[in-house]
Amino acid sequence: MTVQGRDCLIVLKTQYREMGVPYSEETIREAVSLLTEEAAIEGDGSCRAIRKSSGVTGCVVTPLTIGTAPLLLYLAMGSTGLPLYVSETRNIYRYKLNLLPAEDSTRFDLVQERGGSRTLYEGCAVTGFELRIHREEAVKLKLDIRGERPPAIYPYQDIAPTEKGERFMGDRVTYRINGTEYYNIYGLTLSTKKEDGTKTELWIKRSLEKGSDIPGLIEELTITAQLLRDKYEYRHYGMFRLTLSRLVLTADETAVDCADGVIGPLRYYVAGTVNAEVFTATGENLE
């Protein structure tokens, strides 16, 4: 079930932060398991079922904004180090985020306001995420969320409003492969599963241009998204960066069946590390 509308709100709560996130869709709901007893084959019988709450399940698809990107990417990756002050800036701090399995990732609480009622899901974790970047579209992050605690009624009146900061767009994203910037990448999708270890795949959509095709083995890929407003300090606040190492081509799904320009997808498996950098205007703890 997908719920959209102005009367719905998703709030993420960590130890130090509480933030309402904008979203394009969400499917957060109580996870329910049934223990059933079937009727015997011979003779009459009855069917019974015991309903048991198994916590929370679902996903949230949200655009990344200047305010939400640090927290959302931190929850997606799983851990962060201490904030480091960026020299030659007024008050900019950098966080390095590391990818961890779901069982080792940071836990958080989720408050869902729907139809006038508020539900609290405690002890949630991100079990997988998908980052989608395409030209002329907002950069979106899908978080797959699981939790083991049953939902409860959220008793407090005050709740964080939805963050309304400027959104990152696919037009302002740059890609560097093995130290060289590529201009023919139309978009990409980064998909990570975090249960029982981590598994990361990457789909790169690129336009076919002579002499600029992407290699089958990528030692390092750097993805940098920026907001280019005058009020942001260049290359710091209003930016996030992902760095992936040891990408191996697993499939070329390009189909050339027309005379016009072709945008073909390449599928890579990430055999190395996945890291991210985010910046904030204060040194507050993301946790």
Side-chain angles (χ1 to χ4, degrees), residues 8 14 19 39 49 68 85 135 157 199 229 244 267 285:
C8 301
T14 63
M19 179 180 295
T68 64
Y85 172 70
R135 291 182 187 176
Q157 295 298 321
K199 177 182 178 181
R229 295 269 185 102
L244 294 75
R267 184 175 180 177
N285 199 321

Side-chain angles (χ1 to χ4, degrees), residues 73 77 129 131 133 190 221-225 240-244 274-277:
L73 289 173
M77 298 291 287
F129 66 89
L131 179 67
I133 303 174
L190 177 68
L221 167 63
T222 302
I223 306 163
T224 304
F240 69 85
R241 176 184 292 124
L242 287 90
T243 303
L244 294 75
V274 179
N275 298 308
E277 288 182 320

Side-chain angles (χ1 to χ4, degrees), residues 29-53:
R29 62 198 182 277
E30 181 183 5
V32 176
S33 60
L34 294 177
L35 177 62
T36 62
E37 178 185 355
E38 301 292 342
I41 296 178
E42 59 281 345
D44 296 332
S46 59
C47 299
R48 299 181 178 88
I50 300 176
R51 183 181 185 275
K52 180 181 179 182
S53 175

Side-chain angles (χ1 to χ4, degrees), residues 59-78:
C59 72
V60 175
V61 180
T62 174
L64 293 181
T65 73
I66 188 172
T68 64
L71 177 61
L72 291 173
L73 289 173
Y74 158 61
L75 295 179
M77 298 291 287

Side-chain angles (χ1 to χ4, degrees), residues 28 35 69 139 239 252 270 285:
I28 301 299
L35 177 62
V139 177
M239 183 188 83
D252 185 347
V270 182
N285 199 321

Side-chain angles (χ1 to χ4, degrees), residues 188-204:
L188 57 79
T189 300
L190 177 68
S191 178
T192 297
K193 304 298 183 183
K194 301 180 56 175
E195 294 181 296
D196 300 322
T198 61
K199 177 182 178 181
T200 301
E201 292 184 320
L202 183 72
W203 286 263
I204 299 178

Side-chain angles (χ1 to χ4, degrees), residues 3-253:
V3 176
Q4 297 180 342
R6 301 172 62 182
D7 59 340
C8 301
L9 177 64
I10 291 293
V11 178
L12 301 179
K13 296 166 61 69
T14 63
Q15 183 177 359
Y16 298 103
R17 303 196 66 181
E18 177 177 333
M19 179 180 295
V21 298
Y23 64 90
S24 56
E25 62 181 79
E26 62 97 352
T27 60
I28 301 299
R29 62 198 182 277
E30 181 183 5
V32 176
S33 60
L34 294 177
L35 177 62
T36 62
E37 178 185 355
E38 301 292 342
I41 296 178
E42 59 281 345
D44 296 332
S46 59
C47 299
R48 299 181 178 88
I50 300 176
R51 183 181 185 275
K52 180 181 179 182
S53 175
S54 300
V56 57
T57 186
C59 72
V60 175
V61 180
T62 174
L64 293 181
T65 73
I66 188 172
T68 64
L71 177 61
L72 291 173
L73 289 173
Y74 158 61
L75 295 179
M77 298 291 287
S79 74
T80 181
L82 295 174
L84 299 176
Y85 172 70
V86 179
S87 61
E88 300 182 0
T89 65
R90 293 186 295 271
N91 61 341
I92 305 302
Y93 292 82
R94 177 177 67 90
Y95 299 80
K96 183 177 180 181
L97 311 179
N98 300 309
L99 180 63
L100 291 180
E103 55 268 23
D104 298 326
S105 297
T106 299
R107 298 279 173 164
F108 60 94
D109 298 339
L110 186 149
V111 179
Q112 177 191 62
E113 182 174 350
R114 181 187 294 173
S117 62
R118 295 174 178 175
T119 305
L120 171 65
Y121 300 95
E122 296 182 290
C124 298
V126 173
T127 59
F129 66 89
E130 189 172 282
L131 179 67
R132 306 169 188 171
I133 303 174
H134 294 281
R135 291 182 187 176
E136 301 179 359
E137 296 181 14
V139 177
K140 291 186 177 181
L141 181 67
K142 175 188 175 186
L143 299 177
D144 294 320
I145 296 174
R146 299 290 185 275
E148 299 177 355
R149 300 182 187 178
I153 297 176
Y154 191 71
Y156 304 103
Q157 295 298 321
D158 295 334
I159 194 169
T162 300
E163 171 66 36
K164 300 183 182 298
E166 184 182 356
R167 298 183 176 186
F168 289 92
M169 301 296 294
D171 298 345
R172 310 310 308 179
V173 179
T174 58
Y175 309 91
R176 296 186 69 87
I177 297 176
N178 299 334
T180 302
E181 186 168 346
Y182 279 68
Y183 300 95
N184 64 326
I185 296 179
Y186 182 81
L188 57 79
T189 300
L190 177 68
S191 178
T192 297
K193 304 298 183 183
K194 301 180 56 175
E195 294 181 296
D196 300 322
T198 61
K199 177 182 178 181
T200 301
E201 292 184 320
L202 183 72
W203 286 263
I204 299 178
K205 293 183 178 180
R206 90 295 190 205
S207 59
L208 295 182
E209 298 178 5
K210 186 176 180 181
S212 62
D213 205 9
I214 299 174
L217 179 62
I218 300 176
E219 290 296 333
E220 184 177 87
L221 167 63
T222 302
I223 306 163
T224 304
Q226 285 185 263
L227 299 173
L228 300 182
R229 295 269 185 102
D230 292 339
K231 64 181 180 180
Y232 306 134
E233 296 193 51
Y234 178 64
R235 295 181 61 83
H236 296 299
Y237 188 52
M239 183 188 83
F240 69 85
R241 176 184 292 124
L242 287 90
T243 303
L244 294 75
S245 66
R246 297 291 297 173
L247 284 75
V248 181
L249 180 66
T250 59
D252 185 347
E253 302 172 3

